[in-house]
Amino acid sequence: MDALRRRIGLVAVAFMFAAVMLQEVAAVRYIVGANMGWTSNVNYTIWAQGKHFYNGDWLFFVYDRNQMNVLEVNKTDYENCISDHPLHNWTTGAGRDVVPLNVTKTYYFISGKGFCFGGMKVAIHVENPPPPPSSSPIKSASPSLLSTLRGQIFVPALFTVAAVWDAFVLLL
Ligand SMILES: *[C@@H]1O[C@H](CO)[C@@H](O)[C@H](O)[C@H]1NC(C)=O
Ligand SMILES: *[C@@H]1O[C@H](CO)[C@@H](O)[C@H](O)[C@H]1NC(C)=O
Ligand SMILES: *[C@@H]1O[C@H](CO)[C@@H](O)[C@H](O)[C@H]1NC(C)=O
Ligand SMILES: *[C@@H]1O[C@H](CO)[C@@H](O)[C@H](O)[C@H]1NC(C)=O
């Protein structure tokens, strides 16, 4: 009985590790403007079009540190290119600034020093991450299909994780 409980505990821990690893893999770091970087004469509305930004993703601004900067502002200041009172100044001075998109909201970024007026601005709509692909079909599946799915996927997966864990424990 104790051995079984221990085994179940170990499998649970292994699943937690797996879940954390999956989350890490799923987060995306976007280089703003892709190979153009953060500069003038790029339409960032077009760059952001069709992309899905999820809570947990990152933005990476790469630019000429002697000229531009990265300021997070509110919607009004974004529309009017006002850089006097940013919500957050992400400029570190290296010309390479990383912004974690850790709130589900629309972020507004501009470059100060006059560049915003030339179009150096981007609005990033951050959404909640979608549920993992396997969970939605299972949720809506009928009970019999559900048990079939469990039998075919879930149980073998459990054994695989348990086997991997056993191998791991043997190594210790
Ligand atoms: C943005 O900030 C300015 C100055 O603090 C304020 O006047 C304006 O109402 C704010 N706009 C929004 C949408 O919060
Ligand atoms: C933003 O921060 C950088 C680095 O600390 C600083 O040099 C710059 O003056 C700040 N810019 C604004 C608009 O606050
Ligand atoms: C998001 O990240 C910023 C910068 O690291 C941090 O200051 C802030 O507390 C974070 N917000 C949440 C809700 O985690
Ligand atoms: C960027 O492209 C969008 C969509 O084509 C357009 O509506 C917008 O005016 C453009 N922005 C600039 C600064 O040229």
Side-chain angles (χ1 to χ4, degrees):
M1 204 55 191
D2 257 5
L4 177 62
R5 210 178 294 150
R6 226 183 101 180
R7 161 65 71 88
I8 289 171
L10 290 179
V11 169
V13 169
F15 260 111
M16 271 158 51
F17 273 125
V20 168
M21 280 190 295
L22 276 177
Q23 241 179 349
E24 303 258 311
V25 168
V28 177
R29 192 192 68 169
Y30 291 93
I31 297 174
V32 178
N35 58 350
M36 306 286 289
W38 182 234
T39 186
S40 45
N41 300 318
V42 177
N43 186 324
Y44 291 97
T45 305
I46 290 175
W47 172 76
Q49 239 163 39
K51 291 184 175 60
H52 285 278
F53 300 94
Y54 294 117
N55 194 331
D57 287 345
W58 306 75
L59 293 181
F60 189 33
F61 289 87
V62 180
Y63 58 98
D64 181 352
R65 63 177 178 172
N66 296 315
Q67 293 196 67
M68 290 88 173
N69 59 17
V70 180
L71 305 173
E72 183 184 339
V73 297
N74 71 13
K75 191 166 190 272
T76 315
D77 290 353
Y78 171 82
E79 283 161 358
N80 300 302
C81 287
I82 297 168
S83 55
D84 303 336
H85 39 68
L87 298 175
H88 200 306
N89 175 5
W90 291 100
T91 317
T92 57
R96 296 173 173 273
D97 300 326
V98 174
V99 177
L101 300 174
N102 57 1
V103 180
T104 305
K105 65 169 185 181
T106 302
Y107 287 74
Y108 299 95
F109 299 97
I110 65 172
S111 172
K113 310 190 184 189
F115 287 100
C116 176
F117 296 103
M120 219 175 139
K121 46 157 68 177
V122 65
I124 303 285
H125 180 62
V126 176
E127 307 162 54
N128 277 317
S134 61
S135 70
S136 37
I138 287 179
K139 250 184 232 153
S140 56
S142 68
S144 64
L145 180 56
L146 182 65
S147 51
T148 311
L149 281 175
R150 283 228 173 97
Q152 286 180 349
I153 302 162
F154 192 65
V155 171
L158 260 177
F159 278 120
T160 308
V161 170
V164 168
W165 181 264
D166 282 350
F168 184 61
V169 168
L170 280 178
L171 287 175
L172 292 177

